[in-house]
């Protein structure tokens, strides 16, 4: 059973995840600086582990349908560390998309409920993109 209460460990995990994303974006802005990208990856992975717990993290990354994303993300991280940041970030981005592709419909529903962004996502062209990706309409 997953606990939805916000304890100190989860708060620290969310902070580390946020800093990981921040350092990764900063590393991309500074022309794929491998130090910032590696720091962002380490903070992101440790933040996810603290947020959902070590056991849930291992179960998530070791699911059979997530192997392709896990391996791609891991190899991309390795390439960032050894000094090939552009190729490593491409592999990591692919792995991230494959790993978290199950969360996109949930994110789409969340974005549709935000006041300004919701109006944007209700436009016919954007809505048709979401419908084509999911194959069905999201109940609002």
């Amino acid at each position: 059973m997953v606990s939805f209460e916000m304890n100190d460990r989860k708060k620290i995990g969310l902070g580390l995840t946020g800093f990981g994303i921040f350092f990764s974006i900063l590393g991309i802005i500074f022309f794929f600086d491998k130090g910032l990208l590696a720091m962002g990856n380490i903070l992101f992975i440790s933040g996810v582990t603290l947020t959902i717990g070590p056991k849930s993290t291992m179960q998530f990354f070791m699911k059979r349908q997530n192997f392709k994303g896990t391996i791609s993300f891991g190899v991309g991280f390795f390439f960032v560390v050894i000094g090939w940041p552009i190729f490593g970030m491409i592999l990591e981005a692919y792995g991230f998309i494959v790993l978290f592709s199950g969360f996109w419909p949930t994110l789409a529903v969340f974005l549709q409920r935000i006041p300004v962004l919701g109006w944007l996502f209700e436009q016919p062209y954007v809505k048709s993109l979401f419908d084509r990706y999911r194959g069905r309409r999201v109940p609002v």
Side-chain angles (χ1 to χ4, degrees), residues 12 18 28 31 34 55 57 64 74 76-77 88 93 104 124-125 138:
I12 292 170
I28 291 170
F31 301 110
K34 69 179 180 176
K55 184 178 178 183
T57 302
R64 188 163 198 56
F77 177 73
W104 298 129
Y125 178 73
V138 175

Side-chain angles (χ1 to χ4, degrees), residues 9-21 40-61 73 96 99-100 103:
R9 183 180 53 85
K10 290 182 181 181
K11 290 178 187 176
I12 292 170
L14 288 174
L16 288 175
T17 304
F19 277 120
I21 293 169
N41 289 334
I42 292 168
L43 289 172
F44 179 78
I45 295 296
S46 61
V48 168
T49 303
L50 279 176
T51 302
I52 65 174
K55 184 178 178 183
S56 296
T57 302
M58 289 302 291
Q59 287 175 348
F60 175 74
F61 282 106
F73 193 84
F96 186 82
L99 279 172
F100 296 103
F103 296 109

Side-chain angles (χ1 to χ4, degrees), residues 41-122:
N41 289 334
I42 292 168
L43 289 172
F44 179 78
I45 295 296
S46 61
V48 168
T49 303
L50 279 176
T51 302
I52 65 174
K55 184 178 178 183
S56 296
T57 302
M58 289 302 291
Q59 287 175 348
F60 175 74
F61 282 106
M62 296 302 161
K63 281 184 187 174
R64 188 163 198 56
Q65 65 264 27
N66 290 347
F67 272 161
K68 191 187 320 183
T70 300
I71 290 171
S72 175
F73 193 84
V75 170
F77 177 73
F78 175 73
F79 279 129
V80 167
V81 170
I82 65 169
W84 292 12
I86 295 174
F87 185 64
M89 285 305 294
I90 291 170
L91 279 174
E92 282 184 14
Y94 173 73
F96 186 82
I97 290 170
V98 170
L99 279 172
F100 296 103
S101 63
F103 296 109
W104 298 129
T106 305
L107 180 65
V109 169
F110 172 75
L111 290 175
Q112 286 175 346
R113 293 175 192 254
I114 295 176
V116 175
L117 288 177
W119 174 82
L120 179 69
F121 287 116
E122 288 297 321

